[in-house]
Amino acid sequence: MDSTASPDAPIRIESFLGEGKGRSLAEDVREGLTRSFKELPPKHFYDTRGAELFERICELPEYYPTRAERAILDEFAGELVAITGAEEVVELGAGAATKTRVLLDALHATGVPARYVPMDVTESMVRELATELTETYPGMQVHGVIGDFERHLEYLPPSEGKRLVVFLGGTIGNFAPAPRREFLGKIAGLLQSGDHLLMGVDLVKDPEVLRAAYDDAQGVTAEFNRNLLHVLNRELDADFDPSDFDHVAVFDAEQEWIEMRLRSRRAHTVTVGALGMGVHFGAGEEMRTEISAKFTQARVTADLAASGLDLVRWLTDPEDRFALTLSRRSDA
Ligand SMILES: C[S@@+](CC[C@H](N)C(=O)[O-])C[C@H]1O[C@@H](n2cnc3c(N)ncnc32)[C@H](O)[C@@H]1O
């Protein structure tokens, strides 16, 4: 672990992704690219460029989730702060925390000397966020954690007061159903009596609206998807030519999730130098790079219950496109 801190400074940063610890990219490539249906997890999109591309996606006309989630926060942030009595906000996959600021504004307005603990795999985002937020909110402590929430949750700092864990952007939809419940169970383990989880979920809706959100007219999402190949080239000395792959977004009506894939335009073999591996792609072969599950209230309630959490509030935007769920431990 690399730790940057001084006792009186409002910022503390810890990194669990240093040399040799990596983002599990090598294992994920060894495992995911040797399957008959190739697959890599979405966390590997997010180097600095990937994080910037995601911020651009959030501004796109087709990408309604960010605006919808923000509308809910605009309406309910004050109430959420009052219900939870939060003294610290722990955010998983914080990114640029653009919407979280609505919540932090409401928290700051109460005068509670809160602590904010953003966790993300993108180092630059965590560092920038810490600097920006301590300037925006004098008196707020920021303890940034550069880490993988699938592997490093137990390294989050011990609680310093009533905790609100925040998991926005519909990122929970990136988990398949069984790992999703397992992960929610681990989040429940971060909560004590009186603590809450605030989680954003994208809702089932017209498949064409969903698909367009992942295949915008300007091609920003396509660039974001192909950024994975740039990451593999840089981090693992691979020789992908991103222009050999088309961006594909499909809605799986049975599972009710969107899949992003990269489709090889021709039969060719890519070398992953750092792993001494050749990976063959057939013409038209697809590699899955993300699933983004869509939810109903019944599905979320069942997932939370199976993970030891009770739904306390279900808040939606005026057009019912997105929901924010507030939950707490069933045994608390
Ligand atoms: C869909 S974006 C959401 C960003 C932000 N929370 C929002 O609502 O706009 C997912 C975020 O989670 C981060 N992320 C994805 N997988 C992660 C993992 N396994 N561990 C930590 N952060 C992760 C990404 O870097 C990115 O910032």
Side-chain angles (χ1 to χ4, degrees):
M1 180 195 60
D2 153 48
S3 178
T4 321
S6 86
D8 303 318
I11 297 178
R12 185 185 166 103
I13 305 277
E14 286 181 290
S15 175
F16 300 95
L17 294 178
E19 263 313 285
K21 288 171 265 172
R23 297 171 165 213
S24 71
L25 182 63
E27 298 108 269
D28 290 342
V29 166
R30 262 196 215 96
E31 206 272 312
L33 297 194
T34 52
R35 291 190 203 166
S36 52
F37 178 37
K38 297 182 177 62
E39 177 165 31
L40 284 175
K43 65 184 162 195
H44 301 305
F45 288 133
Y46 296 95
D47 63 351
T48 299
R49 179 169 180 266
E52 284 164 9
L53 283 166
F54 181 73
E55 285 309 295
R56 281 179 58 199
I57 289 174
C58 291
E59 303 288 323
L60 292 168
E62 296 92 337
Y63 199 76
Y64 63 85
T66 304
R67 285 184 295 280
E69 192 174 35
R70 165 135 197 161
I72 307 171
L73 283 166
D74 281 340
E75 187 172 353
F76 294 104
E79 194 178 328
L80 288 166
V81 165
I83 296 174
T84 60
E87 291 159 323
E88 73 170 16
V89 173
V90 174
E91 179 158 26
L92 307 178
T98 315
K99 288 161 289 176
T100 317
R101 291 165 210 234
V102 179
L103 197 64
L104 296 178
D105 282 346
L107 187 55
H108 194 62
T110 65
V112 172
R115 179 170 74 152
Y116 176 55
V117 184
M119 180 183 222
D120 205 284
V121 277
T122 312
E123 172 163 359
S124 53
M125 293 304 242
V126 175
R127 292 194 183 277
E128 279 167 30
L129 199 52
T131 309
E132 273 175 38
L133 293 189
T134 46
E135 282 167 14
T136 309
Y137 304 107
M140 181 180 283
Q141 298 283 322
V142 177
H143 187 145
V145 181
I146 300 158
D148 179 341
F149 53 56
E150 290 182 71
R151 303 192 305 149
H152 302 130
L153 271 194
E154 71 263 37
Y155 300 130
L156 282 166
S159 162
E160 279 189 359
K162 267 197 196 165
R163 178 177 262 186
L164 176 61
V165 174
V166 173
F167 194 26
L168 300 182
T171 308
I172 188 65
N174 294 154
F175 288 83
R180 182 193 307 150
R181 289 181 173 195
E182 198 184 318
F183 185 63
L184 287 172
K186 288 188 187 156
I187 295 182
L190 300 174
L191 306 179
Q192 295 169 359
S193 170
D195 294 345
H196 289 84
L197 165 66
L198 182 67
M199 180 170 76
V201 290
D202 194 11
L203 301 179
V204 173
K205 59 181 65 62
D206 177 352
E208 198 32 50
V209 173
L210 286 171
R211 216 196 49 76
Y214 293 81
D215 194 7
D216 64 279
Q218 292 172 48
V220 183
T221 315
E223 209 39 47
F224 173 74
N225 196 5
R226 280 192 282 260
N227 191 53
L228 179 62
L229 306 178
H230 292 284
V231 169
L232 294 170
N233 286 350
R234 190 187 60 242
E235 308 257 327
L236 295 180
D237 188 27
D239 61 358
F240 281 95
D241 178 349
S243 67
D244 275 336
F245 290 84
D246 286 322
H247 166 68
V248 178
V250 284
F251 181 65
D252 180 330
E254 197 180 325
Q255 302 286 356
E256 295 192 307
W257 66 44
I258 286 279
E259 291 199 6
M260 289 212 307
R261 303 178 186 168
L262 287 167
R263 181 188 293 145
S264 176
R265 288 187 179 168
R266 62 184 178 97
H268 69 296
T269 299
V270 172
T271 303
V272 185
L275 305 181
M277 238 174 103
V279 184
H280 182 74
F281 288 88
E285 184 179 345
E286 293 178 346
M287 162 168 76
R288 186 161 71 180
T289 53
E290 176 173 299
I291 67 163
S292 183
K294 306 304 162 191
F295 292 84
T296 56
Q297 185 171 354
R299 179 170 295 158
V300 180
T301 308
D303 283 345
L304 290 170
S307 316
L309 293 162
D310 282 344
L311 184 67
V312 178
R313 294 295 304 269
W314 171 264
L315 306 168
T316 59
D317 64 296
E319 292 168 62
D320 275 336
R321 294 171 298 178
F322 201 92
L324 267 185
T325 66
L326 187 69
S327 57
R328 62 174 172 233
R329 281 178 75 112
S330 319
D331 59 2

